[in-house]
Amino acid sequence: MITALYPGTFDPVHNGHIDIARRSARLWDRVIIAVYDRPNKKLLFDAAERAALFAEAVRDIPNAEVVTYSGLTVEFARQVGARVMVRGLRAISDFEYEFQIALTNKKLAPDIEFCALMTSLDYAFLSASILKEVAMLGGDISSMCPPHVAEALRRRARERGLGGFVSHVERV
Ligand code: ADP
């Protein structure tokens, strides 16, 4: 039985992430989606919220589960018995970063294989930052993430006093 680990920040999960998770679940026996607890990034959702949003999105995939973790990803992979680490690759811009991470991880854990799945064409443009930016400005995000994620984003936007796009034209 092969367990694959799909680690990431997922702040929040979007259709590009879900697509990678679904395709991974078809390739490997068990997929553990691992939500990294405290990345060096400004976050909109805490780890428990990010995990709950992803868990709801993959509720129908029997061999996928979602957990949160902290510390070194390769250590966590070993802890859960994962032999494969999956990442998604968007455009050329992702490649250099992912290549560097993969080689670093390979040095730290030669026993774990790194596998990058190419994004599906429909999601090639999509990133969590783009999704958040559009959501915070009140744009239509229904084609980018599941409805429960869109709702969570709208709620967060309201809490922060954002979400309503006001068009403003100033004449001089
Ligand atoms: P990071 O883990 O680098 O903070 P994310 O949490 O946003 O980034 O993404 C987790 C993984 O999902 C990464 O491997 C990333 O390349 C991949 N990913 C992000 N957006 C997409 C997308 N639109 N299509 C496919 N894979 C994606």
Side-chain angles (χ1 to χ4, degrees), residues 6-12 14-17 19-20 23 36 39 41 86-90 94 97-98 117-120 123-129:
Y6 177 31
T9 307
F10 310 120
D11 183 47
H14 56 62
N15 289 343
H17 297 136
D19 176 58
I20 297 291
R23 289 160 58 198
Y36 185 47
K41 291 181 179 177
V86 192
R87 297 284 286 175
L89 264 193
R90 264 162 311 197
D94 272 346
Y97 174 73
E98 293 294 341
L117 297 184
M118 300 301 149
T119 184
S120 300
Y123 310 125
F125 71 98
L126 195 50
S127 70
S129 3

Side-chain angles (χ1 to χ4, degrees), residues 60-121:
D60 62 317
I61 310 177
N63 59 335
E65 61 202 85
V66 183
V67 297
T68 61
Y69 77 103
S70 50
L72 264 184
T73 308
V74 284
E75 280 310 321
F76 184 66
R78 280 210 184 103
Q79 219 176 300
V80 294
R83 276 166 52 194
V84 178
M85 199 182 293
V86 192
R87 297 284 286 175
L89 264 193
R90 264 162 311 197
I92 307 156
S93 53
D94 272 346
F95 181 78
E96 210 176 320
Y97 174 73
E98 293 294 341
F99 189 57
Q100 201 176 10
I101 294 282
L103 291 185
T104 308
N105 284 339
K106 195 75 188 157
K107 263 263 176 287
L108 296 169
D111 47 323
I112 298 172
E113 281 309 324
F114 296 89
C115 180
L117 297 184
M118 300 301 149
T119 184
S120 300
L121 196 55

Side-chain angles (χ1 to χ4, degrees), residues 48-62:
E49 289 171 323
R50 284 179 276 136
L53 291 172
F54 212 142
E56 175 64 25
V58 293
R59 215 157 40 116
D60 62 317
I61 310 177

